Amino acid sequence: MGEENVEHIKDVIQKAKRKKTSSVWEHFKEVNLKSGTKTWECLHCHKNYAMISSGSTSHLIRHLGDCLVYKKLIASQKKLNLQPTKSMVDAKLSGPLLVNPNVQYDHARQREAIAHWIMMHEHLFSIVEEEGFIFMMKCCNISYEKISRKTVKNDCVTIYETEKKKLKSTLRDVSKICLTTDLWKSQNQKIEYMVLTGHFIDADWILQKRILSFVHVPPPRRGVDIVDAIFKCLKNWGIESKVFSVSMDNATYNDRCLKDLKVLLSRHVKLVLDGKLFHVRCCAHILNLLVQDGLGRIVTIIEKIRESVKFINYSEARLRTFSQVIQQLKLGGKKLVLDCLTRWNSTYDMLSIAIQFKEVFLRFQDREPSYTYIPEADEWEKVEKVAKLLDVFNVASNIISGSEYPTANLYLVEVEEYLNEPTHKPKDNGHMPFCALEWWKLNSGKYRVLSRMAADILAIPISIVASESTFSAGGRVIDSYRASLHPNTVEALICGGDWLRILHGIRNKPKVEHVPIVIPLLL
């Protein structure tokens, strides 16, 4: 074997050695002295230290402890010279997370901030072990210490328990609380969860919404099991005597459930009006039933449009052809969307956009003979009529599903318009919209008893969809990542994430419920 081959093999073996993992190698590099001796050179003070055949690094570690240049660098990097900003997050940061200029780096505080970030934005625990994340944190401060997914999970649970105590304290001062509840399923496992959300108006006349419970309901899921789970949650929060109303969807199954719950709660406190306001039926589900009935009359046409979108999205070539026709007709830059079968509002989006491209579909068929899903002219007319009707329902659904303003009094606007029409009173379109909460805030001292009643009534949500929009899993399904966790951890992440987003003034962005089909622009 030639000498060159031997050297090549040595190089290969050297490269195949296990990568050095000690943090000390971040501060030393290998150098060749003029004498031919290989040594380790400190990156900070540039002193050289011998290479020990056993691979020991104790002398290098000792040097780091005495290196004056390195000590000076650490001292300077422990000062976080952050410029203040005016963002909502910065304005909301308080307590242990408040970062002031010239404050020494605190790794415990950093861990807490990371846990807040993970819970607010639903990141995986393992993200803290990714090399890119560690590199980013080291760039911010060389003193950053790596943490494991187990550590950050424990931090998240600790924060959940801390925030839960704070919320419990807040609820002690609430006289009445309204509830919304719904059931969720996991994506890959047959695990069912019950979400319970509390709605109340605080002392400043601000409508508040907090997820109180997200618990696993083991099979068999009977009405009595749901009642027991709800009552256990209420006892845990100490609000079993403060429940004013419960909003649920309109399934017959829930009628029996709410009846049993009302009887149970009435043993602890006298319900308002003997419970006549206790069970609130979800208006969003009522609208959904009406819409689904209408869509059922054109289900064949909807299927044609759905398959058309799928066909065009099948290949880049078809998308390019479709885009070419759009540009020839000088139409706007809309994007085709594929609906979610369980969400009628996404079907409405798909239809309303497809209508704008009905001429494009016709010309696209001339260029793609295998395209056979195009609706007939009379079918397009039916779609246009249904889309106009759906537009009204879509606006109504968005209004009644609001969670940042009262929905129980929305009918008053319709009453006002109805009264204006019989009396021929013109509408005053120039006045500011009436805010019930702001009015009662200004007049609560004048009408003390009525104001307490108003606070209870205005807190009633007429739709449970608002509580569903808290989650970004899409629909009423838990994603595969959270489904793999222990139910207690799932509850800590979902409830804690909701509370922290409110604390920091961050809106959760729900995942898109329909798939956009991006049409490429031709160069």
Side-chain angles (χ1 to χ4, degrees), residues 411-424 427:
Y411 75 95
L412 293 175
V413 178
E414 300 299 327
V415 171
E416 180 186 11
E417 292 185 0
Y418 172 77
L419 292 176
N420 286 337
E421 290 179 2
T423 58
H424 305 288
K427 296 180 182 179

Side-chain angles (χ1 to χ4, degrees), residues 41-99:
E41 180 182 294
C42 175
L43 296 175
H44 308 292
C45 66
H46 304 293
K47 289 183 179 180
N48 295 312
Y49 291 85
M51 287 187 175
I52 299 177
S53 58
S54 64
S56 174
T57 60
S58 58
H59 62 308
L60 303 180
I61 295 174
R62 284 196 299 271
H63 167 71
L64 275 182
D66 299 329
C67 181
L68 297 178
V69 178
Y70 178 61
K71 286 183 176 181
K72 186 176 180 181
L73 176 65
I74 290 298
S76 64
Q77 290 194 342
K78 280 189 175 182
K79 298 289 182 69
L80 299 179
N81 297 315
L82 300 179
Q83 296 297 322
T85 65
K86 295 181 180 179
S87 69
M88 179 66 76
V89 176
D90 294 317
K92 291 287 184 180
L93 284 175
S94 59
L97 291 182
L98 181 61
V99 180

Side-chain angles (χ1 to χ4, degrees), residues 20 76 81 111 122 132 139-140 171 173 197 213 227 238 266-267 281 286 334 368 428 431 443-444 448 455 504 520:
K20 298 181 176 65
S76 64
N81 297 315
R111 275 174 50 182
E122 302 173 354
C139 286
C140 296
L171 293 178
D173 299 326
T197 306
S213 175
V227 171
S266 63
R267 295 180 178 272
R281 299 180 183 276
I286 295 174
K334 293 284 186 177
E368 288 285 344
D428 182 6
H431 73 283
N443 294 277
S444 58
R448 295 186 182 277
H504 297 302

Side-chain angles (χ1 to χ4, degrees), residues 475-493:
R476 288 184 289 174
V477 178
I478 297 299
D479 58 38
S480 57
Y481 160 61
R482 287 182 289 186
S484 66
L485 302 174
H486 190 277
N488 291 344
T489 306
V490 173
E491 181 174 32
L493 289 178

Side-chain angles (χ1 to χ4, degrees), residues 6-130:
V6 172
E7 291 298 323
H8 174 69
I9 292 174
K10 286 182 178 180
D11 289 341
V12 172
I13 294 175
Q14 185 68 24
K15 291 178 181 178
K17 287 182 179 179
R18 184 172 62 89
K19 184 179 178 181
K20 298 181 176 65
T21 58
S22 175
S23 60
V24 75
W25 301 118
E26 298 177 6
H27 308 282
F28 291 88
K29 69 176 180 179
E30 181 181 317
V31 295
N32 292 317
L33 301 180
K34 292 182 179 179
S35 62
T37 305
K38 292 185 176 181
T39 63
W40 296 116
E41 180 182 294
C42 175
L43 296 175
H44 308 292
C45 66
H46 304 293
K47 289 183 179 180
N48 295 312
Y49 291 85
M51 287 187 175
I52 299 177
S53 58
S54 64
S56 174
T57 60
S58 58
H59 62 308
L60 303 180
I61 295 174
R62 284 196 299 271
H63 167 71
L64 275 182
D66 299 329
C67 181
L68 297 178
V69 178
Y70 178 61
K71 286 183 176 181
K72 186 176 180 181
L73 176 65
I74 290 298
S76 64
Q77 290 194 342
K78 280 189 175 182
K79 298 289 182 69
L80 299 179
N81 297 315
L82 300 179
Q83 296 297 322
T85 65
K86 295 181 180 179
S87 69
M88 179 66 76
V89 176
D90 294 317
K92 291 287 184 180
L93 284 175
S94 59
L97 291 182
L98 181 61
V99 180
N100 291 326
N102 303 320
V103 175
Q104 283 193 339
Y105 174 81
D106 185 341
H107 189 64
R109 176 188 290 173
Q110 183 67 71
R111 275 174 50 182
E112 187 176 7
I114 290 173
H116 275 234
W117 170 65
I118 284 177
M119 295 174 77
M120 287 189 294
H121 299 290
E122 302 173 354
H123 293 301
L124 278 66
F125 294 140
S126 59
I127 195 172
V128 298
E129 297 177 348
E130 294 180 0

